[in-house]
Amino acid sequence: WDPLGLAASGNDFDYKRRREVELKHGRVCMFATIGYIVPEYTRLPGLLSPSYGIKFTDVPNGLGAFSKVPALGICQIIVFAGLIEIQVYNDQVNGEPGNYGAGFLGIQSIGIM
């Protein structure tokens, strides 16, 4: 089923790349779901931004959080995600899509899992 014709070229590399990207996006969606549900039940104690005086309890759930988190905090999140993408999840193991041999957030490399 390919209504947009994305696989019409029949290129094997494009097929494998799209399959890998789909797995990555699925994992990001799972983390986003957890990040949306957990704050409904618990909050971290302390300050989110000591320089701005923002507590974790002051930040609303969902997309409303963007109105409270300082711009530098959002930049930190983007930089962290970029570093994980570039440094940890870049080489496949045994040609398996989505298998980067890194474990959960790269923790396997330091012997925890």
Side-chain angles (χ1 to χ4, degrees):
W1 186 75
D2 187 19
L4 298 178
L6 297 174
S9 69
N11 187 345
D12 191 45
F13 175 78
D14 288 343
Y15 172 74
K16 288 181 180 180
R17 176 71 182 141
R18 287 187 182 112
R19 189 168 64 171
E20 178 182 348
V21 169
E22 181 179 7
L23 287 169
K24 276 188 184 181
H25 290 168
R27 291 173 182 166
V28 169
C29 290
M30 287 186 266
F31 276 121
T33 302
I34 291 170
Y36 201 86
I37 293 172
V38 169
E40 293 286 339
Y41 298 102
T42 185
R43 298 288 176 129
L44 294 174
L47 295 172
L48 170 70
S49 175
S51 59
Y52 288 100
I54 301 172
K55 297 178 183 177
F56 284 106
T57 54
D58 297 337
V59 179
N61 294 342
L63 295 176
F66 284 112
S67 66
K68 293 286 186 179
V69 176
L72 286 176
I74 294 173
C75 288
Q76 287 177 343
I77 294 169
I78 292 170
V79 167
F80 175 73
L83 288 174
I84 292 295
E85 179 75 21
I86 293 169
Q87 296 296 322
V88 178
Y89 298 121
N90 53 8
D91 293 326
Q92 292 182 3
V93 175
N94 299 327
E96 298 175 43
N99 183 2
Y100 305 102
F104 178 70
L105 291 179
I107 294 175
Q108 180 183 24
S109 61
I110 58 174
I112 293 175
M113 296 175 89

